[in-house]
Amino acid sequence: MALLRSNYPTILRRIVEVLPPLKGDVTTYDVVHSTILKVVRDSHVLEIDSDAEFVDYFIYRSKTVVYKAIHDKKLRHKTHACYHETKKDL
């Protein structure tokens, strides 16, 4: 938590620079919050010594959060093929 507290401004600045523009109901702060929850529970963070390494790891985890959000959104908008066949038969 000390690494997170001391590097929070740097993390916010880097995330805005690195992440793609977010559309829809997901904001940058949502990504940061979800990433904090993932990083706090991650045992790999205990092995990190330097601030730069922690920020890089946090950015990496935030990219995975964004990827998962985009993937989940695509899955929500897909419809099942059987639905189309059934609807066409009516």
Side-chain angles (χ1 to χ4, degrees), residues 24-36:
D25 54 349
V26 178
T27 66
T28 303
Y29 290 106
D30 293 332
V31 171
V32 170
H33 183 260
S34 297
T35 307
I36 288 172

Side-chain angles (χ1 to χ4, degrees), residues 1 4 9-10 12-13 23 26-27 29 32 38 43 45 49-51 56 67 74-75 80 82-83 85-86 88-89:
M1 290 302 286
L4 182 62
T10 307
L12 287 180
R13 186 174 56 252
K23 299 177 184 175
V26 178
T27 66
Y29 290 106
V32 170
K38 288 193 178 295
S43 61
V45 174
D49 295 331
S50 69
D51 289 343
D56 289 341
Y67 174 79
K74 285 180 182 178
L75 287 178
H80 200 273
C82 293
Y83 171 77
E85 289 177 13
T86 306
K88 199 174 11 174
D89 292 341

